[in-house]
């Protein structure tokens, strides 16, 4: 999703920086129109992260431990990484913070299943962001698919469970970043019938 977002923002004329842990991915980001910065969010210090995002107008946390990861990495990436980036944003003076969460983080299970740990990690990261003084937006997409973009979604402030393409979520993120009225909103995003800009407009104050 992060690379999809980078392409959308670069095509719009924004300057985009992407943090990567593997230097071998640098050329992929350049092809997307983004500037690669090697900085492993799990192992980097808050100071190193702050340096990596220095001068940015906004940061987006769209990292994830990924399929097949154990419960420990759900915590070190999805929770701790998001909170560390939040602290780095404070240190670097970056006021805008957008985080990709998940439907289900509103009421995560308390068992030891890896997906339950993932949802609790997301919930704890979201809580830290919401309690911060940043200009935050929390985006909680439904079940992610790799289907082609539709350009149409449903966005609401209440939990909703349905599928949505990663492409469409990236487009929602791009729209949110340029919409100051989305600050301090928690948005649920699933597939729908409304063009993205119209769907977003419908939930803005």
């Amino acid at each position: 999703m992060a690379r999809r977002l980078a392409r959308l923002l670069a095509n719009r004329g924004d300057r985009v920086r992407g943090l990567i842990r593997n230097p071998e991915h640098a050329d992929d980001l350049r092809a997307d129109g983004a500037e690669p910065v090697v900085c492993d969010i799990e192992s980097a210090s808050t100071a190193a992260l702050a340096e990596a995002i220095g001068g940015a107008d906004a940061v987006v946390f769209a990292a994830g431990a990924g399929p097949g990861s154990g419960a420990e990495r759900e915590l070190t990436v999805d929770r701790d990484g998001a909170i560390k980036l939040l602290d780095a944003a404070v240190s670097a003076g970056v006021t805008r913070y957008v985080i990709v969460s998940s439907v289900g983080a509103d009421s995560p299970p308390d068992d030891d299943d890896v997906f339950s740990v993932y949802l609790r990690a997301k919930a704890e990261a979201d809580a830290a962001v919401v309690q911060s003084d940043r200009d935050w937006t929390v985006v909680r997409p439904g079940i992610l698919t790799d289907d082609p973009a539709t350009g149409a979604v449903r966005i609401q402030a209440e939990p909703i469970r349905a599928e949505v393409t990663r492409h469409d979520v990236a487009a929602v993120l791009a729209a949110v970043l340029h919409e100051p009225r989305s600050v301090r909103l928690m948005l649920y995003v699933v597939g729908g019938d409304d063009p993205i800009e119209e769907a977003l407009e419908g939930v803005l104050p």
Side-chain angles (χ1 to χ4, degrees):
M1 188 182 305
R3 288 190 59 194
R4 294 175 177 90
L5 174 60
R7 288 192 291 268
L8 289 171
L9 294 175
N11 289 339
R12 194 164 62 186
D14 293 336
R15 181 185 173 191
V16 183
R17 212 178 299 165
L19 305 188
I20 54 175
R21 66 164 57 93
N22 187 345
E24 294 180 1
H25 296 159
D27 286 343
D28 293 334
L29 263 69
R30 293 189 186 97
D32 294 335
E35 173 190 347
V37 177
V38 179
C39 184
D40 185 345
I41 201 165
E42 282 186 277
S43 61
S45 65
T46 300
L49 267 180
E51 182 177 354
I53 64 173
D57 294 323
V59 293
V60 179
F61 184 83
S69 298
E72 182 178 351
R73 291 205 69 228
E74 304 294 356
L75 297 174
T76 58
V77 178
D78 293 278
R79 183 192 64 188
D80 300 344
I83 294 173
K84 190 189 295 183
L85 183 62
L86 176 65
D87 292 340
V90 173
S91 179
V94 181
T95 57
R96 188 76 168 104
Y97 190 105
V98 176
I99 183 170
V100 181
S101 181
S102 173
V103 65
D106 48 286
S107 55
D110 58 5
D111 60 75
D112 294 330
D113 180 80
V114 173
F115 188 66
S116 298
V117 175
Y118 163 79
L119 290 178
R120 290 200 300 275
K122 286 295 190 185
E124 292 173 25
D126 293 351
V129 171
V130 168
Q131 292 163 13
S132 76
D133 64 353
R134 300 298 90 183
D135 291 338
W136 56 265
T137 304
V138 177
V139 176
R140 287 180 168 172
I143 301 165
L144 296 171
T145 76
D146 291 318
D147 294 337
T150 69
V153 295
R154 179 177 178 181
I155 304 177
Q156 60 185 52
E158 301 79 29
I160 182 173
R161 285 167 171 77
E163 291 186 346
V164 63
T165 76
R166 286 179 169 82
H167 291 283
D168 288 331
V169 176
V172 170
L173 294 171
V176 160
L177 277 170
H178 279 249
E179 179 46 80
R181 290 177 295 164
S182 69
V183 168
R184 299 192 175 273
L185 293 183
M186 186 171 294
L187 305 174
Y188 291 84
V189 181
V190 296
D193 300 321
D194 296 326
I196 287 168
E197 295 290 348
E198 290 183 18
L200 180 59
E201 184 68 30
V203 295
L204 294 177

